[in-house]
Amino acid sequence: RRNADLLCLLGISFQFLILIEQRYRRVVFNCSCQDVLAWTFSETTMDVFYGKGGYISLKVAEGQEEDIKEIVQRLQIVTRGCETRELTLLRNGVGQLGFQVDAEGIVTEVEKYSFAETSGLQIGARIVRVCEQPVISLTHPQMMQLLRTAVKAKITVIPPEENGKPRRSFSELYLKSIQEKYPKSEITVVEPKNQNHADETLMKPQLLQLLRAVSLQEPPKHSLPEERTEFLRSYSD
């Protein structure tokens, strides 16, 4: 079902993130924690980005707003993801945004002293939404058209790793290693087809209503890895 609210239980272990529908006890979503890229959240809602930039939308039940913070804390422990940034970029005098992006949504160039640079956009950042449209459902020309025509380009970006490299999921890195190891003639990679962009309903993931954020395992007793993201990271700079 698309665009339907599902009452679900959320489980997060050290290996997997899983959603189980309450009524039929069916698994409606699961992914490896190594594939979680980032998250965007408010007091009652949360988007979790995974894989190549896909995402699921979560909404906690009334009176359970603290669950969002608990989910963020858990993701910080068991994934290498981070909080996304929401940027609204202005154009310069000739109508340019001041950055270049490739077909994967990776920022490859940021002009010095541009609005993009002063807003905090970095080379290696990964754009996952453009004007509320998920990049994974857009072709490169469609993404560029949105960036060119929007009066104010609102984008959701995942900051790069500390070493400046784009943040990628384990599945992406594994696939790239396979493609580099074997000639194209020896391996066939089947990519999912883009959805019909004329039908806006196909571009929005299910909104999954949570009954309770539950973990499948307790966190370890030892100290947390230093490389995990800072809780409720501030991007004031």
Side-chain angles (χ1 to χ4, degrees), residues 20-223:
I20 302 174
E21 186 184 17
Q22 180 206 16
R23 183 175 180 182
Y24 298 108
R25 304 298 181 183
R26 295 182 296 111
V27 174
V28 293
F29 175 82
N30 74 88
C31 77
S32 168
C33 288
Q34 296 182 83
D35 281 344
V36 174
L37 294 169
W39 47 84
T40 299
F41 65 95
S42 64
E43 290 185 358
T44 59
T45 63
M46 184 174 195
D47 292 338
V48 179
F49 294 88
Y50 63 95
K52 299 182 71 174
Y55 71 100
I56 56 170
S57 293
L58 312 175
K59 181 179 180 181
V60 297
E62 184 178 353
Q64 295 182 352
E65 290 79 5
E66 288 297 313
D67 286 354
I68 293 292
K69 294 182 180 179
E70 293 179 15
I71 297 171
V72 172
Q73 288 176 322
R74 171 64 62 163
L75 291 177
Q76 288 176 328
I77 294 171
V78 301
T79 78
R80 294 183 61 85
C82 65
E83 186 181 346
T84 63
R85 299 190 63 187
E86 303 287 337
L87 303 177
T88 300
L89 305 179
L90 303 178
R91 302 182 185 278
N92 59 21
V94 293
Q96 298 176 338
L97 292 172
F99 72 94
Q100 298 294 326
V101 59
D102 66 15
E104 293 183 296
I106 306 299
V107 176
T108 57
E109 180 183 348
V110 179
E111 295 180 9
K112 284 189 173 297
Y113 313 115
S114 63
F115 288 115
E117 183 185 52
T118 57
S119 297
L121 188 63
Q122 300 171 274
I123 294 176
R126 183 171 194 160
I127 301 177
V128 289
R129 272 199 294 242
V130 176
C131 300
E132 304 299 331
Q133 304 290 349
V135 168
I136 195 173
S137 68
L138 302 173
T139 64
H140 191 220
Q142 288 172 329
M143 175 174 58
M144 298 306 297
Q145 179 68 12
L146 280 175
L147 290 172
R148 282 194 295 265
T149 58
V151 177
K152 290 185 178 180
K154 182 179 180 180
I155 60 176
T156 301
V157 300
I158 301 175
E161 301 277 7
E162 292 182 2
N163 59 10
K165 292 183 178 181
R167 197 174 295 269
R168 296 186 183 277
S169 67
F170 175 81
S171 295
E172 281 186 290
L173 295 174
Y174 178 75
L175 180 58
K176 284 183 177 294
S177 68
I178 294 296
Q179 292 172 328
E180 292 172 359
K181 184 175 180 180
Y182 298 99
K184 291 184 178 179
S185 59
E186 298 181 17
I187 183 171
T188 302
V189 179
V190 179
E191 295 287 352
K193 296 181 179 180
N194 286 332
Q195 296 172 333
N196 180 6
H197 310 299
D199 186 354
E200 185 179 351
T201 63
L202 297 181
M203 303 182 67
K204 297 179 180 178
Q206 294 176 336
L207 185 63
L208 301 167
Q209 181 81 9
L210 302 183
L211 294 181
R212 180 67 184 172
V214 296
S215 63
L216 301 182
Q217 291 179 300
E218 290 301 318
K221 301 294 183 181
H222 54 74
S223 60

